[in-house]
Amino acid sequence: MMKYIYPFEEGNKDMRQLLGGKGANLAQMTNLGLPVPSGFTISTEACNAFYENHNQLSDDLLDQIHRAVAALSAKVGKTFNSSTAPLLVSVRSGAAISMPGMMDTILNIGLNDQTVIALANLTANERFAYDSYRRLLAMFGNVVYGISEATFDGVIEKRKADQGYQSDLDLTVNDLQEIVSEFKTIYQKELNHEFPQDPTDQLMAAINSVFESWNNHRAQVYRRENDIPSDLGTAVNVQMMVFGNAGEDSGTGVAFTRDPATGKKQLFGEYLLNAQGEDVVAGIRTPQPIETLRSSMPHLYDQFATIAEKLELHYRDMQDLEFTIENGKLYMLQARNGKRTPTAAVKIAVDLVSEKLISKQEAIMRIKPESVQAILYPEFDEQALAENKIVASGLPASPGAATGQIYFTAESAKKAHDDQHRKVILVRQDTSPEDIEGMVVSEAIVTSRGGMTSHAAVVARGMGTPATVGVNGLQVNYQTKTATISGNQLHEGDWLSVDGTHGNLYLGQIKTTDLTVNDDLATLLDWAKDEARLGVYANADTPKDFAQALNFGADGIGLARTEHMFFKPERLLEMRRLIIAEDAEGRKTPLKRLLEMQRGDFYELYKLSKGRSVTIRLLDPPLHEFLPHDEKEIKAVAAQLGIDPDYLAQRVDALKELNPMLGHRGDRLAVTFPDIYQMQIQAIMGAALQLLDEGIIIEPHIMIPLTDSKAEMSWVRDLVVNQIEDLFDAHNAKLEYTVGTMMEMPRACLTADKVAEVSDFFSFGTNDLTQLTFGYSRDDVGSFMPAYIKEGILPADPFQTVDVEGVGALMKMAVDKGRFTKPQLPIGVCGEIGGDPKSIHFFEAIGVTYVSCSPFRVPVARLAAAQAHLSAKRPIEQAAGVKAH
């Protein structure tokens, strides 16, 4: 018989996969002697068995649950359905990887018409007992039977309105008893049966529902967005209830051992008196800062602060703690590594190294590479900000600045984002886990309720999305699709600017600043550079892009796409003049003009490089991309060129190809129009020789695109080398240089050993290699790719993450064959996949030398490269008996 249940005393923090994060940490806190209410954990293995058993609890599991409840009853001296000492429990989910709010929880299991009276007598607090009962009825009805929360909330809101109450705390015993009665009537109306009075039936239904919540829609969305495997399952924690709603000397709260928004080392959190935990997390009431507990209950604050410090030292990370105070006694309900903004994550990791709690290597491994881009968040331009008035303020829940069009439901926000490609801002009274799809697509999140530990705040920080919560003066009317902010009425689609760093809101659109690397991130990236084997270069075509890449720590340029330099208006005109020319003589004048322009481009890039490597790819795209296509544009271009529109139309038609991406492009242009490549070589080497005259030595790296054979590469290489040697002779000077090939044709990969004989380096162009391997048009995959991923035909978009089995196999073959010919052959990846963390782990494994990506992905790639190398080293270190952090 498989063991499915573990009392808290039997577990520990290293059993996360089996007990889930919550269960493992409850066990660890129990074993540390902290005040944890007794309970037990039903394992993730039981969850997987539940699904294998067609969403049913097996007889074996049911038997183990009965025995665990009996053991808990004996330990705490309380029993289900007792008229004197009733046992009440909470039932909470807890996966191995934290998914806050995505799965279900039910509190107060065990209350019924009999035990509510017993609880009232036992505590001498009738209001507390019926308040707890109405909470159970609402949560149970929603989670187990799917009755809308709004149905129950409507009863309470009507009662408050009828009585003129401002808060739930104003409800009297009589009010709560009538609400309980109305809630039970809802069961009859909605389900045609009563609320189950048997506590054991309640418990089994609750456990069943928590297991089922592992696969609810919001949990699936969260797992997809955070790359959490779907086969882990959730554990279920059954724990004796302690009550924060037992009176004014009771309360509940959530706290972090460091500020989750900034990473600052200070106790940070909130609590509510006379409340249960869901009141804080859901943002229904605005809580008090944890610091105020110091003045109202100083001994409890000191006890909690001591426990918080002990747990942070024990786990060597910032902790997210949930606690309840019942009649002046503190209980710990949860400790887990806290969700934090990407900015806070980096600061905490760097600070923990300074505090000698973790190593630099562990700090590197703790940061998700994808989150680094969120650290480079923009702020509002100071001058633009000065011209705008703060319309309202709230709590700065998640930093950054964003402007977008407001929407009031997750559904409308997602639709505007997906269908209309709008930048959206989700504005709500408060958010719930059901809003996750709208939150994911939002530029920022704004709520009128809730505090720094509310659902909106926690999820926004985890996603790196700016958020302002608990906004004073904000009212949302979902029926009319309007919001009122400090007297200003806004409609769906109106523009709003959100400063999540300071908690301010502004009407309209405000310009944001460029992205910068803060000191903590710079430190982490320096550590990453020391640990990485892969170099990280940038795809950059302009001095502005290159300067940004250098600011982000790029090693140089891995891909300068020269065709991008031809699209400026004056250059495009000369390029068109060049293309429509009928012979070499007609191309001379535009080539001469383009030569001067290109030489200036390369001079600026080389000068900015200060000796760093710069790889320039010669002209790659088909010529049709530079030409006008419709009658109106043809007439306008003909007028610019001073030629007959009919003649231009004929030339455009003559240059048309049925499939230009598989046609006359790349090095094929060199064979048919050698003077174009010769012009580019003159510009590249001319710029380098000009800098040589200025005392700056440059080693140009020239890349030939689209080669598919040794013969083709050899022909183009000779063209390039002969032009370079002619220039050296003319200038009576020499420079070191390399000529390599862009590996983007499957045939080139298959014959890489031969291609390497005439190549100084390889650089994989993963976009074309993927396109040609799959037979997909990268411009048209959007019409079917989402369906392929949804149906599991492909695990991911192969243009975003390398297809290891197919494209990856070709890449590995090319690496192995190329290095067989030239063991020290430099090999790069310059497609945008070069900035994808998952792909980088594969490139590390096959021995790629460097990756190159857009400037804004350089920090991401740098961190991913370090993690890939550290991960590759770890099994070797462990085999040698070296401790791996």
Side-chain angles (χ1 to χ4, degrees), residues 420-735:
Q420 302 170 47
H421 307 293
R422 292 185 173 181
K423 290 187 174 182
V424 303
I425 289 178
L426 184 65
V427 177
R428 303 276 295 162
Q429 290 288 94
D430 51 63
T431 65
S432 75
E434 301 298 335
D435 295 318
I436 184 67
E437 286 192 296
M439 300 174 80
V440 165
V441 301
S442 296
E443 302 293 314
I445 297 163
V446 177
T447 67
S448 64
R449 299 180 190 152
M452 297 291 280
T453 57
S454 65
H455 175 266
V458 170
V459 174
R461 283 196 293 269
M463 296 190 303
T465 302
T468 297
V469 302
V471 176
N472 293 320
L474 169 63
Q475 292 292 327
V476 179
N477 188 319
Y478 299 120
Q479 284 70 40
T480 62
K481 298 182 180 179
T482 61
T484 303
I485 304 179
S486 301
N488 299 279
Q489 189 174 67
L490 302 181
H491 297 82
E492 188 174 81
D494 285 350
W495 288 87
L496 186 70
S497 294
V498 181
D499 180 354
T501 305
H502 302 98
N504 298 326
L505 303 183
Y506 303 84
L507 299 180
Q509 304 177 61
I510 300 178
K511 178 183 175 183
T512 55
T513 59
D514 290 335
L515 310 182
T516 58
V517 174
N518 64 37
D519 291 343
D520 291 315
L521 179 56
T523 297
L524 187 76
L525 292 177
D526 285 343
W527 295 344
K529 188 170 185 177
D530 291 340
E531 294 293 338
R533 183 190 62 79
L534 285 166
V536 178
Y537 293 77
N539 298 342
D541 317 311
T542 67
K544 180 181 178 182
D545 287 345
F546 191 19
Q548 186 67 276
L550 292 174
N551 181 45
F552 290 157
D555 294 322
I557 292 179
L559 173 64
R561 294 155 291 200
T562 54
E563 63 271 11
H564 289 189
M565 301 170 176
F566 291 130
F567 283 101
K568 293 178 182 178
E570 70 278 9
R571 301 180 184 205
L572 183 57
L573 184 64
E574 294 303 327
M575 195 65 185
R576 285 168 168 170
R577 199 187 305 278
L578 169 73
I579 294 168
I580 65 169
E582 295 188 16
D583 52 33
E585 187 62 31
R587 292 195 294 271
K588 279 186 178 179
T589 298
L591 280 171
K592 184 179 180 180
R593 292 171 180 166
L594 288 169
L595 169 62
E596 293 304 313
M597 296 174 186
Q598 285 250 280
R599 184 159 50 205
D601 293 332
F602 300 137
Y603 175 86
E604 292 298 328
L605 290 178
Y606 282 144
K607 192 166 185 178
L608 197 57
S609 75
K610 296 182 179 177
R612 296 179 182 87
S613 177
V614 174
T615 300
I616 296 170
R617 182 181 71 185
L618 301 182
L619 192 64
D620 178 52
L623 297 179
H624 86 282
E625 288 192 8
F626 298 98
L627 295 174
H629 298 291
D630 58 50
E631 184 179 351
K632 182 179 179 182
E633 193 179 0
I634 286 172
K635 286 182 178 179
V637 172
Q640 288 179 311
L641 295 172
I643 60 175
D644 181 58
D646 291 337
Y647 170 73
L648 178 58
Q650 291 173 7
R651 289 296 294 150
V652 169
D653 190 59
L655 290 165
K656 277 183 180 176
E657 297 179 81
L658 291 176
N659 194 336
M661 292 309 290
L662 298 180
H664 197 179
R665 55 173 288 216
D667 60 355
R668 299 158 198 170
L669 292 170
V671 176
T672 53
F673 300 110
D675 45 1
I676 294 178
Y677 271 27
Q678 287 170 331
M679 176 275 290
Q680 291 198 291
I681 295 303
Q682 291 174 35
I684 292 168
M685 300 310 295
L689 289 167
Q690 182 181 347
L691 285 162
L692 180 63
D693 291 340
E694 298 173 16
I696 301 172
I697 299 175
I698 299 295
E699 181 181 337
H701 303 295
I702 299 164
M703 186 153 62
I704 312 300
L706 222 67
T707 53
D708 58 19
S709 68
K710 174 187 175 181
E712 188 178 45
M713 178 62 189
S714 182
W715 195 97
V716 181
R717 182 189 178 95
D718 287 345
L719 175 75
V720 170
V721 170
N722 290 338
Q723 184 66 56
I724 291 173
E725 294 303 323
D726 287 346
L727 284 168
F728 285 171
D729 290 343
H731 285 78
N732 193 29
K734 275 190 175 291
L735 288 169

Side-chain angles (χ1 to χ4, degrees), residues 230-355:
S230 60
D231 59 355
L232 295 179
T234 181
V236 176
N237 299 286
V238 178
Q239 188 174 25
M240 186 183 73
M241 282 293 300
V242 288
F243 297 96
N245 60 325
E248 289 305 312
D249 61 349
S250 301
T252 187
V254 177
F256 298 83
T257 54
R258 301 186 188 223
D259 189 322
T262 67
K264 184 178 179 182
K265 188 175 182 179
Q266 63 180 24
L267 194 58
F268 179 95
E270 299 166 324
Y271 75 102
L272 276 171
L273 289 177
N274 204 10
Q276 287 197 349
E278 294 304 301
D279 297 341
V280 177
V281 176
I284 295 169
R285 290 165 53 193
T286 300
Q288 295 293 313
I290 190 73
E291 186 66 23
T292 62
L293 189 64
R294 187 199 294 267
S295 56
S296 60
M297 300 180 181
H299 65 292
L300 286 179
Y301 177 88
D302 291 342
Q303 183 188 1
F304 179 75
T306 300
I307 290 172
E309 184 176 6
K310 182 176 183 177
L311 287 170
E312 180 173 279
L313 290 171
H314 184 77
Y315 285 104
R316 299 182 306 121
D317 200 357
M318 183 261 276
Q319 294 298 293
D320 172 0
L321 308 173
E322 290 183 13
F323 65 93
T324 285
I325 301 166
E326 181 184 80
N327 298 321
K329 184 176 180 180
L330 176 68
Y331 293 93
M332 301 300 299
L333 301 182
Q334 176 174 278
R336 63 184 175 190
N337 293 342
K339 295 291 182 185
R340 61 206 79 178
T341 64
T343 301
V346 170
K347 177 172 176 53
I348 290 168
V350 171
D351 286 351
L352 289 174
V353 172
S354 299
E355 295 164 24

